Each structure stands twice: as structure tokens, then as C-alpha cells.
Amino acid sequence: MSHQPNRSARRNDRDPRYANRDGPRPRQDGGRPSYRAGQRPNGYRQPAGYQRPAEEIKLSHTLPGIRVLDGRRPRILTKNLVPGTISFEYEERYTDEQGEWRVLDPKRSKLGAAIMKGLQQSGFKEGSAVLYLGASHGYTPSYVSDIIGPQGQVYCLDFAPRVVRDLVFVCESRENMAPILGDAKQPDGYAAQLPAEGVDVVYQDIAQKDQVGIFLRNCDRFLKQGGYGLLAVKARSIDVTRYPADIFKDIKRGFETGEEAKRYVIVDYRELDPFEKDHAFFVVKKK
Ligand SMILES: C[S@@+](CC[C@H](N)C(=O)[O-])C[C@H]1O[C@@H](n2cnc3c(N)ncnc32)[C@H](O)[C@@H]1O
């Protein structure tokens, strides 16, 4: 007996005998193009598992100083404070009749990742004074500088001299950015460089075990009443043995029922997967 498949039993869509019977046989892959998941034909790679949350992205149009170009490849734009100046060689720019815009890459910036995940409140507005803890080379701080405009000021703190060297170059071309070499755990060391009346926003992105405690101490000391604290949490730096979701829950609980609930209220919260694995972004408002 032959083990060859019964070829005559296989349906051939081109065979006129099957025309108009029940339409063409659907493709096994649902008719999608054959490029691999996550890889676009133009070479743009989405992070593994990324699914575009189109309806969420539209919400971020309401963030002051931020424009989102929706479409197949959504892009977060800020108006370049220093048109014609390239702050980072890898930055993508976009020009239209309104001027020059810079594209904020959600894979390089937790603020960008939070916006892609639908952030609705950032606390930034034109003219804000911002204390930025963990400024590194100044990538995200330079976008904050675009958002708050020439009347605002970003105080960019980092404790690593190597990155502050690069940061100084970025600050030189942007008058509303000031570099500070200092340790976020020791606010006494930089208090004199901040405005006496405090700041409108404290933004923190540092990978420290006590990152929440450091954030609270800085907000308690420097954030104005009614001001916003933006905290990028890296769960693995807090406790590598615990589930990130449990760590995020504990931090939430602290702001809802702990001692800090008397002074702060959470106004936005996003988990940053798949742009930043095991990271979450909290926005709190000082009461
Ligand atoms: C993930 S990078 C920040 C990236 C930056 N926020 C951006 O998006 O462009 C974290 C930075 O925090 C800094 N850092 C960590 N602990 C710090 C501390 N206690 N005080 C000041 N800076 C700190 C590190 O030197 C590093 O440059």
C-alpha cells in the first residue's frame, strides 16, 4: 500500500472545479506578510512582544509640550529648543511647517516608555523648574528641556563624573539645563544650587536599592506643594529575588496607605514592559 499522500484529494484553489465553491482557501498565517514578528520591512525593530496600544497613544496628545505622531510607527515629538543643534548623534529629527521636532526614543527613555504606555499626567509644563535625579548623559533631560521651554530650568544631577562630563556638553547648548555632580542620597550637597522656593517637578531615574526612600527625601525637601514627583522604578535594583509586580504593589500600597500617603497621592502609574523590563513609572502629586 502506498504511503504517498493522496494528491487527488488535496484541494487546488486554481482548479476550476473548485471555483465559486467556498472562496479561496484562507492562508494558514492569516494573510500577514512573511517578515518575522517584531521586524518591519523598513528595518525598524519593535521590542519582542510589543503590541501597539493605538487607543492609549492618542491619550498622550494631552501632555503639554509633547506631540505624538500616530500611525504604523508612532513617534513622540518635542519641539527642539535649539533648532539646528544635534544634542545626540543618534537622535532622529523631524521638520514641518511648525519647526524642528526631536523624536523621543521609548527604548532609551523611561519617560518615552511611559508615554507609549499611555501616560496621561507628567506634571511638566512650560516654565517648570525640574530637579532631575540620575541625569546620566542628559538624553531624557534634554527632552524635558524642550518640553519646559526657555522659561523653565532642569537641574540635572548625577554622581558619576564620567557621564557628567558628557552632560556638561549638552547643557552648554541648552541654557535651561544645569549640570550638578552630586549624590541623590545627600541633598545637603546640592541644595544650594536649587531655587530656594523649591521645584515644580522632581524626576528620578536611579538604580538604587533605596530608590523610593531617596525619591521621598528629595520630594519632601525640594518639591513645592502641588508639585509632581515622577519616579522610574527598577524592581531588580530593589530586590532581585522578588517578583517585580509585588515590589510595584508594595510601593503603591505605601503611597495609598503608608506614611507617605499623608503627603502624596498617585496620579498616574504605568508598567514599562516591553520597553523597559521590570520597570514601572509612578507620578505622584504633593498634597
Ligand atoms: C538609567 S541611568 C539614567 C538615564 C537618564 N535618566 C535618561 O533617561 O537619559 C541612571 C543614572 O543614575 C545615576 N545614579 C545612580 N545612583 C545615583 C545617585 N545616588 N545619585 C546620583 N546619580 C545616581 C547613574 O550614575 C546613572 O547615570
Side-chain angles (χ1 to χ4, degrees), residues 108-110 132 134-136 139-141 157-160 163 182-185 205-208:
R108 290 184 195 273
S109 165
K110 279 138 215 161
Y132 194 119
S136 192
Y139 181 73
T140 304
L157 180 109
D158 206 289
F159 71 174
V163 297
D183 187 340
K185 288 181 189 158
D205 176 15
I206 60 174
Q208 292 283 342

Side-chain angles (χ1 to χ4, degrees), residues 73-99:
R73 184 189 159 197
R75 286 185 293 179
I76 305 162
L77 307 177
T78 61
K79 190 88 171 277
N80 194 356
L81 183 74
V82 282
T85 304
I86 300 172
S87 298
F88 296 88
E89 58 188 27
Y90 43 79
E91 81 187 12
E92 197 186 329
R93 287 182 293 165
Y94 171 89
T95 306
D96 65 8
E97 63 291 342
Q98 293 177 49

Side-chain angles (χ1 to χ4, degrees), residues 112-265:
I115 294 169
M116 287 301 253
K117 295 295 298 277
L119 190 75
Q120 291 182 64
Q121 296 220 47
S122 71
F124 296 123
K125 55 180 192 289
E126 243 183 279
S128 293
V130 180
L131 170 59
Y132 194 119
L133 305 168
S136 192
H137 305 272
Y139 181 73
T140 304
S142 73
Y143 287 85
V144 174
S145 141
D146 286 345
I147 294 167
I148 61 169
Q151 306 307 319
Q153 188 72 34
V154 199
Y155 302 90
C156 305
L157 180 109
D158 206 289
F159 71 174
R162 197 179 46 79
V163 297
V164 172
R165 218 173 40 209
D166 295 344
L167 177 63
V168 167
F169 284 115
V170 178
C171 295
E172 269 174 6
S173 63
R174 293 175 168 265
E175 286 185 6
N176 68 357
M177 277 176 76
I180 303 175
L181 179 63
D183 187 340
K185 288 181 189 158
Q186 292 167 358
D188 284 343
Y190 49 89
Q193 296 177 64
L194 302 178
E197 68 277 15
V199 295
D200 304 297
V201 180
V202 171
Y203 183 108
Q204 182 180 292
D205 176 15
I206 60 174
Q208 292 283 342
K209 186 164 178 55
D210 183 27
Q211 49 195 277
V212 180
I214 295 169
F215 175 71
L216 288 171
R217 283 195 291 283
N218 276 277
C219 289
D220 287 347
R221 180 146 179 193
F222 301 119
L223 190 57
K224 289 180 190 167
Q225 240 184 334
Y228 291 84
L230 280 62
L231 172 65
V233 175
K234 182 176 183 179
R236 297 276 169 210
S237 299
I238 294 176
D239 191 341
V240 75
T241 64
R242 293 185 65 205
Y243 286 116
D246 291 342
I247 293 174
F248 302 150
K249 253 186 233 158
D250 283 356
I251 298 172
K252 256 189 184 173
R253 201 172 305 125
F255 280 113
E256 283 163 7
T257 57
E259 183 57 31
E260 51 270 42
K262 294 182 189 148
R263 310 184 309 279
Y264 301 97
V265 58

